[in-house]
């Protein structure tokens, strides 16, 4: 399946991106290894979500390339990327609030090779609670249930890469912990995961590799143990680096 | 009793057609978020096309299928591809303008291809075959209509619930970006939505065509009646929409049968608009949406000193132009400047307050009539301002809680009803002779009058700019930007809204009176609703946020008849549409042509362009709507 020269399931090579005249990402190089969880950490406004937008095709990079399984996919529309095998769960509740649970599951079948029955069977087997609520509108589910529904897409799609953006946001700690153990399971079953988090502690616990971003650049990459002590430093360092750039009398 | 039954059945049949067209409208609105003003016009074109095919000897069934299942969806797809897709997150006035432009274009095309002076009739399906059911005579045609109204919504319902594309249609409405991330293509889905909506419009048009005279405007307006039904379903609920259509048909039919009040001579035809107005009023209030920060560049507001200087320069140039203008052109230019005053009334309302009024010419007409009835004295001018202002207040009061599109539709309903019941009323103006309008203040001679109107425009423009700089102006802009934001800082919207309606209507009234003074005599066709729409189109295309924009719009509008001579009858709308498309296409600058020019010379307040985040932020507290379209579940 995969060419032997490959090191990552998804790679960003010297990617620059932004909105209008505001540049957000500067020469970002990131390799999502072919297996395990890569956690992307960074303070507010570091460019994490923009990086995910570029990776999922929602924002086009101004330069640089995005490579999925050895294939240059720069400029591909999000729907084509999704059908190819990139599953991206965006920030917030990644469900259709005015669609019933079954209708939401129906939408997951846009991934080729999945029938309606496959999706429902797999989703309901993992989350029996969704089966009880299958006729309810997704918007009326609790936050945790909505996130289960969102994650059921990742579970059923069996994607080449899974991108998760701040999935724990606004959830009770217990629910968040459950969610993270689910992410671990998905990764253990062989799906490479890129997990974006603002809160470092939990992410450091479950990640295999960690990249820390600030001000649109990847600052540190390494194993959680290597990075652990340097996370706070990087967060702070970003600010001092910024301060140093200001014109100051010397 | 049997009359009642017969009327009810006839009304139900008409109601079925309303229900069909309204379903199409709801479908396009929910899938693209754009209210298609040209919906009726698409049905009209389909009807004409059907007539043409029959005329060429095509048998009924193939002609029907070609018109409804080929031409109409094709129109929907083309419109979606060329116009709608570019609109993205455009503001209401831009989306309304584009579809209004399409409406005018389609009417112009129909009038060019099919000479409006020729009478055309189409036989109903199955000729005059009929059956008697329970004492009521039903033609086969009526049976076809009823069958269509039963089968089509059911099929639509099944499609939306069972087919994956149908689910995707609803999903795209919910969250466009997420739909793309699951692998459904929002643009393809949007195209399907428009194709289906247009097919429904076409179906309604073809079913109607044998029942009424084949006339572009009549047919378009008939299909517009479906708006009322769609609003009853709050533009999202199909079962309610269909119920609304049926109810409307029956009410209208009963009114034709039983209401015989002579002074309300046209009340039957305005039933749909009264219905629309009432439906808007009883619809549950829209929840305040947390304002999204649209990266819109607003034109910079000139200072008092700067605007006074510009005004003096403008007056000097105007005086010079007045002196050297060829005698034959004076009347036309005066008319144009009067129109500019009417368009000026759109600046605070649409440009600053983002409330899109579709009946500005109606207010102008009221001002004109008011002055004609009181004489051209100072008093007459005062009345010409106060009378429409009072009417504006009357409109603003019941529509206080309506916003956005609903507010626009309410003004549309008002303008439409006024067309039928006020301007064509013989106690307002005699239909044959029209209404003589004096020149205000006894100003005689074409050139002095032109100067007078120009001075009036200048003073009003200065007033509008001063208003923008005042507290009221800031409130107005705040209201347009975010009603929710206004509420959170404790700013009452009531006085602002009442004020802007009165002020805008009064200004339009003044313009109307001055225009009437120029014409000398006005007739009941001088203030038609469609012209209100054309004027709005012009203003938005040239820039409704700037004084220079509306002035250019008015002069261009005045120029059209001259260009018309060279381009033929279709030139009119093609020109306006080209300008409209050009403006929308030009880097999507929502400030119109003048705005684009200003941007080049950096006369706009700079705002960093922002990412357009997924509506994630407001999804958390976004109220769950009732199941879109299917209306099932809660």
């Amino acid at each position: 399946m995969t060419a032997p020269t490959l090191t990552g399931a998804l790679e960003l090579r010297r990617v620059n991106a932004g909105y209008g005249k505001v540049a957000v990402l500067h020469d970002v190089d990131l390799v999502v290894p072919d297996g395990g969880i890569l956690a992307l950490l960074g303070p507010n406004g570091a460019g994490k979500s923009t990086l995910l937008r570029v990776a999922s095709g929602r924002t086009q990079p101004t330069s640089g390339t995005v490579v999925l399984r050895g294939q240059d996919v720069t400029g591909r529309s999000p729907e084509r990327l999704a059908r190819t095998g990139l599953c991206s769960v965006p920030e917030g509740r990644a469900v259709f609030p005015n669609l019933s649970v079954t209708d939401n599951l129906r939408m997951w079948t846009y991934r080729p090779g999945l029938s309606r029955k496959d999706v429902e069977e797999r989703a309901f087997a993992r989350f029996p609670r969704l089966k009880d609520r299958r006729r309810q509108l997704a918007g009326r589910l609790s936050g945790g249930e909505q996130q289960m529904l969102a994650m059921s897409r990742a579970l059923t799609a069996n994607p080449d890469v899974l991108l998760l953006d701040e999935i724990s946001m606004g959830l009770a700690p217990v629910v968040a912990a459950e969610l993270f153990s689910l992410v671990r399971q998905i990764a253990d079953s062989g799906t490479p995961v890129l997990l974006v988090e603002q809160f470092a502690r939990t992410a450091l616990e479950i990640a295999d590799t960690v990249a820390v971003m600030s001000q649109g650049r990847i600052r540190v990459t390494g194993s959680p143990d290597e990075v652990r002590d340097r996370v706070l430093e990087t967060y702070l360092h970003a600010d001092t680096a910024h301060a140093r750039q200001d014109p100051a009398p010397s | 009793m049997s009359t009642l039954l017969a009327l009810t059945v006839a009304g139900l049949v008409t109601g079925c057609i309303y229900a069909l067209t309204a379903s199409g409208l709801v479908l396009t609105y929910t899938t693209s978020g754009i209210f298609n003003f040209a919906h009726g016009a698409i049905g009209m074109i389909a009807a004409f096309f059907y007539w043409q095919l029959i005329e060429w000897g095509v048998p009924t069934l193939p002609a029907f299928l070609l018109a409804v299942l080929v031409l109409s969806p094709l129109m929907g797809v083309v419109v979606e591809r060329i116009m709608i897709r570019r609109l993205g997150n455009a503001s209401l006035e831009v989306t309304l303008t584009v579809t209004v432009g399409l409406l005018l274009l389609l009417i112009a095309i129909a009038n060019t291809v099919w000479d409006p002076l020729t009478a055309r009739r189409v036989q109903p399906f199955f000729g005059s075959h009929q059956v008697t059911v329970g004492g009521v005579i039903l033609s086969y045609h009526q049976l076809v209509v009823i069958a269509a109204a039963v089968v089509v919504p059911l099929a639509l319902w099944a499609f939306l619930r069972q087919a994956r594309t149908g689910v995707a249609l609803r999903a795209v409405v919910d969250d466009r970006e997420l739909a793309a991330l699951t692998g459904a293509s929002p643009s393809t889905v949007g195209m399907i939505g428009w194709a289906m909506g247009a097919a429904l419009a076409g179906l309604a048009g073809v079913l109607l065509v044998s029942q009424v005279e084949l006339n572009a405007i009549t047919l378009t307006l008939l299909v517009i009646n479906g708006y009322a039904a769609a609003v009853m379903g709050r533009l999202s609920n199909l079962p309610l929409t269909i119920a609304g259509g049926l109810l409307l048909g029956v009410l209208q039919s009963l009114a034709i049968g039983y209401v015989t009040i002579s002074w309300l001579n046209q009340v039957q035809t305005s039933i749909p608009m009264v219905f629309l107005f009432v439906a808007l009023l009883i619809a549950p209030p829209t929840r305040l949406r947390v304002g999204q920060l649209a990266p819109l560049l607003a034109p910079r507001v000139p200072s008092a000193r700067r605007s006074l200087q510009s005004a003096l320069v403008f007056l000097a140039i105007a005086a010079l132009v007045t002196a050297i203008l060829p005698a034959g052109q004076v009347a036309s230019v005066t008319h144009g400047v009067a129109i500019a005053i009417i368009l000026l009334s759109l600046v605070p309302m649409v440009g600053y307050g983002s409330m899109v009024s579709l009946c500005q010419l109606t207010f102008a007409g009221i001002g004109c009539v008011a002055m004609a009835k009181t004489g051209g004295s100072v008093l007459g001018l005062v009345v010409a301002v106060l009378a429409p202002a009072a009417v504006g207040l009357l409109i603003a009061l019941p529509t206080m809680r309506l916003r956005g599109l609903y507010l626009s539709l309410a003004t549309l309903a008002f303008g439409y009803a006024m067309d039928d019941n006020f301007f064509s009323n013989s106690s307002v103006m005699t239909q044959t002779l029209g209404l003589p309008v004096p020149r205000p203040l006894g100003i005689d001679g074409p050139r002095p009058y032109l100067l007078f109107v120009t001075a009036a425009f200048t003073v009003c423009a200065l007033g509008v700019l001063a208003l923008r700089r005042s507290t009221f102006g800031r409130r107005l802009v705040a209201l347009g930007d975010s009603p929710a934001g206004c509420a959170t800082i404790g700013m009452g919207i009531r006085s602002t809204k009442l004020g802007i309606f009165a002020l805008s209507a009064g200004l339009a009234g003044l313009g109307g009176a001055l225009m009437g003074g120029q014409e000398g005599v006005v007739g009941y066709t001088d203030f038609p609703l469609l012209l209100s729409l054309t004027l709005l189109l012009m203003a938005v295309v040239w820039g409704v946020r700037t004084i220079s924009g509306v002035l250019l719009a008015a002069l261009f509008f005045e120029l059209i008849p001259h260009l018309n001579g060279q381009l033929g009858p279709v030139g009119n709308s093609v020109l306006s549409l080209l300008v409209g498309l050009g403006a929308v296409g030009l880097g999507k600058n929502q400030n119109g042509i003048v705005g684009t020019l200003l941007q080049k010379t950096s006369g706009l307040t700079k705002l960093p362009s922002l990412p357009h985040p997924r509506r994630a932020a407001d999804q958390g507290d976004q109220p769950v709507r009732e199941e879109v379209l299917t209306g099932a579940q809660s």
Side-chain angles (χ1 to χ4, degrees):
Chain A
M1 275 269 293
T2 51
T5 49
L6 281 183
T7 50
L10 176 74
E11 288 182 46
L12 275 71
R13 293 178 188 159
R14 297 190 69 76
V15 163
N16 285 278
Y19 308 100
K21 285 177 186 165
V22 186
V24 178
L25 299 182
H26 310 279
D27 286 333
V28 167
D29 280 303
L30 185 71
V31 178
V32 180
D34 194 5
I37 300 176
L38 169 64
L40 182 61
L41 306 177
N44 262 336
K48 307 183 298 288
S49 292
T50 306
L51 191 150
L52 280 195
R53 291 187 66 87
V54 170
S56 60
R58 286 174 288 164
T59 295
Q60 296 309 327
T62 44
S63 68
T65 44
V66 181
V67 179
L68 178 67
R69 294 246 169 243
Q71 236 188 334
D72 186 348
V73 293
T74 321
R76 252 191 218 180
S77 68
E79 55 266 31
R80 261 193 82 195
L81 278 172
R83 289 177 189 219
T84 325
L86 183 126
C87 179
S88 170
V89 179
E91 201 179 347
R93 308 275 173 264
V95 296
F96 300 102
N98 292 299
L99 259 54
S100 68
V101 170
T102 25
D103 283 346
N104 267 280
L105 294 176
R106 190 74 192 277
M107 288 300 290
W108 306 167
T109 65
Y110 270 97
R111 170 97 165 102
L114 275 181
S115 78
R116 190 177 180 173
K117 218 173 125 205
D118 293 340
V119 172
E120 289 194 359
E121 267 172 11
R122 285 185 218 172
F124 292 155
R126 184 65 181 76
F127 304 114
R129 198 132 43 114
L130 289 181
K131 190 173 187 182
D132 303 336
R133 318 225 152 170
R134 63 182 182 278
R135 289 185 186 284
Q136 270 192 27
L137 297 186
R140 295 203 192 270
L141 301 177
S142 75
E145 288 164 344
Q146 287 184 22
Q147 209 55 282
M148 282 179 194
L149 183 56
M151 291 299 292
S152 73
R153 179 156 62 95
L155 271 176
T156 53
N158 192 19
D160 290 338
V161 188
L162 175 60
L163 310 180
L164 299 172
D165 195 357
E166 312 235 355
I167 47 168
S168 66
M169 200 165 59
L171 292 182
V174 180
V175 183
E178 229 173 273
L179 214 54
F180 281 120
S181 77
L182 175 67
V183 172
R184 188 66 254 176
Q185 282 172 31
I186 294 177
D188 291 343
S189 73
T191 303
V193 179
L194 173 58
L195 175 76
V196 163
E197 268 297 324
Q198 213 188 106
F199 300 105
R201 195 173 299 162
T202 3
L204 281 170
E205 277 167 24
I206 64 160
D208 300 302
T209 328
V210 179
V212 187
M213 247 188 129
S214 75
Q215 293 182 342
R217 290 188 167 82
I218 305 278
R219 302 283 175 180
V220 189
T221 317
S223 72
D225 288 329
E226 287 166 348
V227 171
R228 194 180 307 273
D229 302 328
R230 297 183 56 193
V231 171
L232 186 67
E233 184 197 336
T234 313
Y235 276 41
L236 295 175
H237 182 73
D239 292 342
T240 49
H242 181 68
R244 237 183 284 142
Q245 279 165 11
D246 287 342
S250 54
Chain B
M1 188 57 209
S2 64
T3 323
L4 178 66
L5 190 63
L7 282 172
T8 309
V9 170
L12 277 177
V13 174
T14 319
C16 286
I17 297 180
Y18 290 156
L20 286 173
T21 173
S23 320
L25 193 65
V26 166
L27 198 65
T28 47
Y29 181 73
T30 45
T31 47
S32 63
I34 285 166
F35 187 86
N36 183 12
F37 248 95
H39 192 72
I42 291 176
M44 177 272 295
I45 292 282
F48 268 96
F49 183 69
Y50 173 73
W51 172 86
Q52 187 66 65
L53 289 176
I54 299 284
E55 196 69 6
W56 284 337
V58 179
T60 308
L61 188 64
F64 174 83
L65 293 179
L66 276 174
V68 175
L69 292 181
V70 178
L71 178 79
S72 304
L74 204 64
M75 277 195 281
V77 168
V78 169
V79 168
E80 201 272 342
R81 280 275 133 141
I82 295 180
M83 304 173 93
I84 306 305
R85 184 160 302 183
R86 302 160 145 267
L87 290 176
N89 297 300
S91 62
L92 179 68
E93 83 253 16
V94 172
T95 60
L96 277 184
T97 304
V98 169
T99 54
V100 162
L102 179 65
L103 170 102
L104 297 173
L105 174 78
L106 290 178
I107 290 181
I109 288 178
N111 280 339
T112 312
V113 179
W114 296 284
D115 178 13
L117 297 176
T118 316
R120 296 181 182 82
R121 283 221 75 95
V122 179
Q123 286 300 310
F125 302 143
F126 306 107
S128 51
H129 286 281
Q130 57 190 39
V131 287
T132 311
V133 184
V136 180
I137 300 166
L138 279 173
S139 70
Y140 277 23
H141 184 93
Q142 286 174 314
L143 291 178
V144 170
V145 171
I146 294 172
V150 172
V151 172
V152 170
L154 280 178
L156 199 60
W157 184 82
F159 169 76
L160 288 169
R161 293 207 64 83
Q162 294 304 320
R164 189 175 65 175
T165 310
V167 177
L169 268 170
R170 291 184 285 140
V172 168
V173 181
D174 236 15
D175 191 331
R176 202 181 166 81
E177 204 169 86
L178 182 61
L181 289 178
T182 62
S185 162
S187 62
T188 310
V189 166
M191 217 167 62
I192 294 171
W194 274 77
M196 289 175 58
L200 284 168
L203 176 64
V206 172
L207 290 177
L208 261 175
V209 70
S210 58
Q211 313 294 303
V212 293
E213 180 193 355
L214 198 55
N215 171 296
I217 295 179
T218 319
L219 265 175
T220 303
L221 292 182
L222 263 180
V223 183
I224 280 185
N225 288 347
Y227 290 1
V231 167
M232 172 117 167
R234 274 171 290 149
L235 295 176
S236 60
N237 187 318
L238 272 184
L240 260 181
T241 299
I242 289 163
L246 295 177
L247 183 63
L248 174 62
V250 171
L251 280 179
Q252 197 180 9
S253 172
L254 293 182
I256 291 171
Y258 290 109
V259 180
T260 47
I261 309 168
S262 60
W263 56 271
L264 279 174
N265 51 350
Q266 296 280 329
V267 76
Q268 298 93 344
T269 51
S270 39
I271 289 271
M273 290 302 134
V274 176
F275 189 90
L276 172 59
F277 205 75
V278 172
L280 284 166
L281 294 187
I282 59 174
T286 37
R287 263 180 72 130
L288 289 184
R289 270 194 56 166
V290 180
Q292 66 237 80
L293 190 53
L296 179 66
L297 300 162
R300 191 171 289 158
V301 185
S303 65
R305 195 190 151 120
R306 175 91 195 279
S307 40
L308 204 62
Q309 284 168 348
S310 314
L312 288 176
V313 172
F314 172 71
L315 272 181
I317 296 173
L320 194 71
V321 171
T322 307
I324 60 169
L325 203 62
Q329 306 291 329
V330 176
S332 164
V333 173
T334 314
H335 190 263
V337 180
I339 291 275
I341 298 180
I342 300 175
L343 291 187
L344 197 59
S345 73
L346 287 170
V347 172
M349 184 116 169
V350 184
Y352 301 159
S354 303
M355 287 174 266
V356 184
S357 159
L358 300 176
C359 65
Q360 225 52 17
L361 204 59
T362 308
F363 290 132
I366 295 172
C368 182
V369 170
M371 191 181 75
K373 299 276 179 191
T374 39
S377 58
V378 178
L379 177 74
L381 270 184
V382 171
V383 173
V385 174
L386 289 185
V391 177
L393 276 181
L394 279 180
I395 302 299
L397 271 175
T399 56
M400 186 59 77
R401 62 197 186 82
L402 300 180
R403 290 187 303 113
L405 177 64
Y406 289 103
L407 185 66
S408 302
L409 286 177
T411 60
L412 177 87
F414 169 72
Y416 195 108
M418 287 294 281
D419 257 12
D420 279 345
N421 292 302
F422 182 75
F423 293 119
S424 60
N425 200 312
S426 51
S427 56
V428 177
M429 47 179 95
T430 41
Q431 302 212 348
T432 43
L433 298 175
L435 181 69
V437 185
R439 285 205 170 160
L441 312 181
I443 295 172
D444 224 5
R447 284 179 209 269
Y449 190 66
L450 171 57
L451 261 188
F452 172 70
V453 176
T454 310
F457 170 78
T458 314
V459 172
C460 291
L462 284 176
V464 167
L465 287 175
L467 178 89
R468 173 63 186 83
R469 289 188 300 266
S470 70
T471 314
F472 183 77
R474 284 196 294 276
R475 279 168 167 262
L476 203 53
V477 175
L479 188 59
D481 273 357
S482 167
C486 292
T488 54
I489 58 169
M491 187 191 112
I493 60 168
R494 193 154 303 171
S495 57
T496 313
K497 219 163 171 181
L498 286 174
I500 188 57
F501 261 85
L503 193 128
S504 173
L507 195 51
L510 177 69
L514 293 181
M515 187 175 83
Q518 166 60 35
E519 299 294 290
V521 175
V522 293
Y524 70 103
T525 52
D526 272 337
F527 307 101
L529 189 66
L530 276 183
L531 200 57
S532 277
L533 299 182
T534 313
L535 286 176
L536 177 73
L537 175 82
M538 286 290 162
V540 173
V541 163
W542 284 92
V544 75
R545 289 186 174 84
T546 49
I547 306 291
S548 40
V550 292
L551 182 65
L552 285 173
L555 295 179
F556 185 76
F557 175 77
E558 208 48 48
L559 207 64
I560 287 177
H562 298 279
L563 295 174
N564 234 357
Q566 268 126 53
L567 293 176
V570 80
N572 184 340
S573 294
V574 169
L575 269 177
S576 30
L577 191 85
L578 281 181
V579 175
L581 277 179
V584 173
L586 272 174
K588 291 187 187 169
N589 193 319
Q590 301 191 9
N591 293 314
I593 295 173
V594 169
T596 312
L597 295 176
L598 277 177
Q599 197 173 36
K600 294 246 155 63
T601 58
S602 71
L604 295 179
T605 317
K606 283 279 187 315
L607 258 178
S609 115
L610 295 160
H612 199 82
R614 205 171 135 264
R615 288 174 304 146
D618 57 357
Q619 248 173 36
D621 44 27
Q622 187 188 357
V624 177
R625 274 174 290 139
E626 257 143 75
E627 176 74 301
V628 177
L629 292 167
T630 50
Q633 302 181 351
S634 64

